[in-house]
Amino acid sequence: MTQLHPKRLAQIAQFELVRLFLTKRGLLAVAAFAICWLLILRYPIAESVNLISSAEFADFARQAFGAIGISRLLDWPESELAMYWLIALYSFPCFCLFLCSDQTVGDRQRGTLRFLSLRATRSEIIIGRFLGQVLILAALLFVTLMATLAMLTYREPSLFLSGFSRSLTLLVFLLITVMPFIALMSFLNTFARSSRLAFVLAILFFAGGNIIIGLLTWQLPLLEVLYYLFPGYQIDVVAGQRAGMMLGVGLPVLQTVVLLVVGERIFARSSL
């Protein structure tokens, strides 16, 4: 990978923020996102306290959640954050595939990628776009977490400090979890011809890849290690707060680095 200039990386990442938050098309996407999360906050998260405080539901949830290893979340006094954690952990990776589907393909279609390559190296373009998407996801995660914390504080002000501390921890783990999904879309953007095709390829990667590895492990169980190639493989364990640092942090960081390095190598040799 060629040398990266911090100033140019920052400018490219900043452009991603401008493209989402200061353009008409980007603002429409943000508005749709906000409406979806208002509904999530209003119903499943706001009602989580009443559901968990119900003895019948608590017994049912402990049996159901215990079977999938997330019964520990029922012991959190901040029930809103427990519900947020589950919803965000499973929904944001899927949202990433859609949000990050156009990192460089749009510029290639419009011919502006050649212009950008005169001002920055190809490595800076792909890494800068990746960093821009990470900043966008961090901002969206932070806003939704603070909204959930505000709801928690309104219900029980004494839980603010513990809720704020837990919110910061959740933010870090959520951001680390979505990073390989963003890197996957960076990688697919290096050879896809449109954002729609990049999104379809991502779906095929997860669906087709799991089927193929399932068939391979049926014949040779040792090949089960191939599942570690898939971003999000550790999510079920992370959801129940049972993942160690290697699985919860090390694996997604390693997946991110590998995807970015492979994507950069392909991008450096592809035509613009």
Side-chain angles (χ1 to χ4, degrees):
M1 190 174 289
T2 58
Q3 189 174 5
L4 303 174
H5 194 286
K7 185 177 179 181
R8 288 197 291 266
L9 280 177
Q11 289 174 336
I12 295 172
Q14 183 183 12
F15 176 74
E16 290 297 287
L17 295 172
V18 171
R19 193 163 63 157
L20 181 66
F21 294 111
L22 295 180
T23 64
K24 185 177 179 181
R25 183 181 178 185
L27 288 175
L28 284 175
V30 172
F33 174 84
I35 291 172
C36 289
W37 268 95
L38 283 174
L39 293 174
I40 291 171
L41 289 168
R42 171 62 185 85
Y43 294 104
I45 292 180
E47 297 298 328
S48 62
V49 179
N50 296 329
L51 286 174
I52 293 176
S53 61
S54 166
E56 293 80 6
F57 179 82
D59 291 339
F60 167 77
R62 286 188 184 282
Q63 294 177 7
F65 288 179
I68 55 179
I70 56 176
S71 59
R72 190 180 298 180
L73 300 183
L74 294 173
D75 298 328
W76 289 12
E78 308 91 356
S79 56
E80 289 89 347
L81 289 177
M83 186 64 74
Y84 172 88
W85 168 246
L86 287 180
I87 294 174
L89 191 61
Y90 286 97
S91 64
F92 266 93
C94 301
F95 178 63
C96 272
L97 299 182
F98 172 75
L99 180 69
C100 306
S101 61
D102 182 9
Q103 294 186 39
T104 55
V105 288
D107 285 302
R108 184 184 286 116
Q109 287 177 321
R110 291 188 294 271
T112 52
L113 203 53
R114 291 177 182 273
F115 174 75
L116 289 174
S117 65
L118 298 176
R119 305 298 181 98
T121 66
R122 296 191 184 192
S123 299
E124 289 167 347
I125 292 173
I126 191 169
I127 301 297
R129 290 286 167 87
F130 167 79
L131 293 177
Q133 298 298 330
V134 170
L135 290 176
I136 288 171
L137 264 299
L140 296 178
L141 283 168
F142 181 78
V143 170
T144 53
L145 256 175
M146 290 303 104
T148 306
L149 179 62
M151 187 176 292
L152 166 67
T153 306
Y154 178 77
R155 176 180 66 84
E156 183 54 68
S158 63
L159 293 176
F160 172 75
L161 288 179
S162 63
F164 184 74
S165 175
R166 194 184 293 276
S167 296
L168 295 180
T169 304
L170 297 185
L171 176 63
V172 172
F173 275 97
L174 285 169
L175 196 56
I176 291 174
T177 300
V178 300
M179 280 170 52
F181 290 88
I182 302 172
L184 174 65
M185 299 313 292
S186 300
F187 165 71
L188 294 176
N189 266 240
T190 59
F191 54 86
R193 295 301 177 190
S194 67
S195 59
R196 183 178 300 176
L197 179 59
F199 182 74
V200 171
L201 288 174
I203 300 299
L204 291 176
F205 172 73
F206 285 103
N210 274 290
I211 292 174
I212 292 172
I213 294 179
L215 293 173
L216 291 175
T217 54
W218 182 48
Q219 295 294 329
L220 190 58
L222 285 176
L223 294 179
E224 191 175 354
V225 70
L226 293 176
Y227 281 117
Y228 286 98
L229 295 174
F230 291 91
Y233 175 71
Q234 80 289 357
I235 282 182
D236 288 343
V237 184
V238 172
Q241 304 279 292
R242 295 176 288 112
M245 291 300 289
M246 282 303 297
L247 188 60
V249 177
L251 178 62
V253 170
L254 179 62
Q255 291 170 335
T256 302
V257 171
V258 171
L259 285 167
L260 284 178
V261 169
V262 175
E264 191 275 339
R265 290 291 88 197
I266 296 175
F267 193 54
R269 291 167 172 75
S270 62
S271 61
L272 302 181

